[in-house]
Amino acid sequence: MGQLQERYKNYREPQKFMEAGVYPYFRAITSKQGTEVEMEGHRVLMFGSNAYTGLTGDERVINAAKAALDRYGSGCAGSRFLNGTLDLHVQLEKELAEFMDKDDCLCFSTGFSVNSGVISMVVGRGDYIICDDRDHASIVEGRRLSFAKPLHYKHNDMDDLENILKGLPHEAVKLIVVDGVFSMEGDLCKLPKLVELKHKYNCSLMVDEAHGLGVFGKQGRGVCDHFGLTHEVDLIMGTFSKSMASIGGFIAGDKDTINYLRHTCRTYIFSASNTPAATAAAMEALHIMKSEPERIEQLWKVTNYALRRFREEGFEIGETESPIIPLYVHDIDKTFLVTKLAFDAGVFINPVIPPACAPQDTLVRFALMATHTEEQVERGVQALTKIFKEQGIIK
């Protein structure tokens, strides 16, 4: 047996939950993504998706992707840096820069590679990266890859952040990186205070809008627009895999920083460029977001309905202010069990356990789409209320 086989032969944590019949991962969907999907031979309500605008099954998005396949083929067979740039990529970057009210934009093949690549390149030796301790794993990865000194503050604790900033050299490059909407808990960053501290302590600020795009701000521009502080944020990151119904991501900022990243960012210049179909789908989703504000209004209608109903039924939902609703369980085994019982009752939800949260803060994540109806939400609430009461999680 080789070294790696010897090392990992006893890794059997997933098998424990498989044997108990509550393993919740890699469940195969056999239909289009939507508010209801086919899984294991029956239909279930989908409350585990990040498709906040509900555009993943929209015929306009699908047709745009098909047209791009016909025109450009299935892939680009190279990086953007060399032979992999299409006029589609250039057009999408131009439209996103305008949408985000920034000078320029770069599109990447995944959202993860935006954060891991950009953060590790824009700061280096002698610099500092300061992160919220609940930032997404891709931000954490970018922080690890950088030669800058990594620091983090308690979640949304601006006093803790200020205490850190007080001890740093005024002239040093200091990059604060934060999620606009925190993906597990659904709460927002305290952007007005972050901007205040940015100026007070001579920092730069990067906001991850992965879960803010299509949800907050004018035409879904995100949390930075929601607070009216877009011009105060140096770099804005976003993804295509949520509200934009595709896969990929982008970074938007000033022309000089984007020019630097275009020629140095390793996850950009050493990755194959995004496929024509994915690029066209994201661009069509962007057009729909801009032209159909009623879609976001409907998202907030069902979100507010769900928030009210979960509170009425006695669920602990934390400080969420978004279509991401955490239903706290506070027990890993029960979190998996609740997920399985919900699926059996026709409701798909996602379990959240360490390292995505602290061991004492396990939860199931209930997320809304603009295409959900109040009737579907009510069915989900009633099924989960019954399960949570039977398990003694709520009274």
Side-chain angles (χ1 to χ4, degrees), residues 10 51 66 107 145 183 237 250 253 257 306 338 346 369:
N10 293 321
K66 287 179 178 177
C107 288
L145 289 170
S183 59
M237 175 269 184
F250 68 89
T257 303
V338 163
M369 293 181 270

Side-chain angles (χ1 to χ4, degrees), residues 156-328:
N156 263 345
D157 188 333
M158 297 296 98
D159 290 336
D160 190 36
L161 173 58
E162 184 161 19
N163 285 334
I164 291 170
L165 295 176
K166 284 178 180 176
L168 303 182
H170 182 77
E171 295 306 318
V173 173
K174 301 174 287 294
L175 179 66
I176 302 168
V177 188
V178 66
D179 286 357
V181 181
F182 290 93
S183 59
M184 296 298 111
E185 297 84 5
D187 52 339
L188 308 188
C189 71
K190 296 183 178 179
L191 192 57
K193 185 64 177 179
L194 286 164
V195 168
E196 178 187 325
L197 293 175
K198 166 195 162 173
H199 289 296
K200 186 175 180 180
Y201 294 100
N202 189 33
C203 301
S204 296
L205 179 60
M206 175 176 167
V207 175
D208 179 330
E209 287 278 22
H211 296 270
L213 284 176
V215 179
F216 291 91
K218 184 181 179 183
Q219 298 175 311
R221 283 173 167 84
V223 170
C224 298
D225 183 82
H226 168 73
F227 284 111
L229 293 169
T230 296
H231 291 169
E232 298 285 357
V233 178
D234 300 279
L235 293 170
I236 298 177
M237 175 269 184
T239 58
F240 304 152
S241 55
K242 299 169 178 64
S243 288
M244 293 179 68
S246 184
I247 188 167
F250 68 89
I251 190 74
D254 67 278
K255 62 181 177 61
D256 292 328
T257 303
I258 297 301
N259 176 58
Y260 171 75
L261 289 168
R262 182 176 281 114
H263 296 91
T264 61
C265 184
R266 295 168 70 85
T267 60
Y268 177 76
I269 63 176
F270 292 105
S271 290
S273 57
N274 215 355
T275 66
T279 305
M283 187 148 53
E284 183 62 23
L286 177 62
H287 297 164
I288 296 170
M289 280 168 49
K290 291 163 67 176
S291 64
E292 296 182 359
E294 65 273 15
R295 188 172 290 272
I296 297 174
E297 292 169 8
Q298 173 61 18
L299 172 62
W300 279 103
K301 181 181 177 183
V302 292
T303 294
N304 289 328
Y305 180 84
L307 289 168
R308 176 174 63 81
R309 288 292 293 117
F310 279 122
R311 289 188 177 111
E312 288 174 349
E313 296 294 348
F315 285 82
E316 181 187 346
I317 63 172
E319 302 297 322
T320 182
E321 302 175 64
S322 72
I324 301 167
I325 304 178
L327 308 176
Y328 283 92

Side-chain angles (χ1 to χ4, degrees), residues 100-173:
M100 303 309 296
D101 202 11
K102 292 296 181 186
D103 294 344
D104 206 350
C105 174
L106 286 184
C107 288
F108 291 64
S109 300
T110 69
F112 197 102
S113 64
V114 179
N115 281 337
S116 59
V118 169
I119 295 167
S120 60
M121 284 307 304
V122 294
V123 286
R125 296 188 192 279
D127 301 335
Y128 298 85
I129 303 174
I130 310 100
C131 299
D132 187 293
D133 66 8
R134 293 189 190 172
D135 276 348
H136 189 265
S138 57
I139 295 175
V140 174
E141 197 66 21
R143 186 183 73 195
R144 287 173 174 171
L145 289 170
S146 174
F147 289 109
K149 182 174 177 58
L151 301 165
H152 62 87
Y153 59 94
K154 297 173 187 174
H155 178 52
N156 263 345
D157 188 333
M158 297 296 98
D159 290 336
D160 190 36
L161 173 58
E162 184 161 19
N163 285 334
I164 291 170
L165 295 176
K166 284 178 180 176
L168 303 182
H170 182 77
E171 295 306 318
V173 173

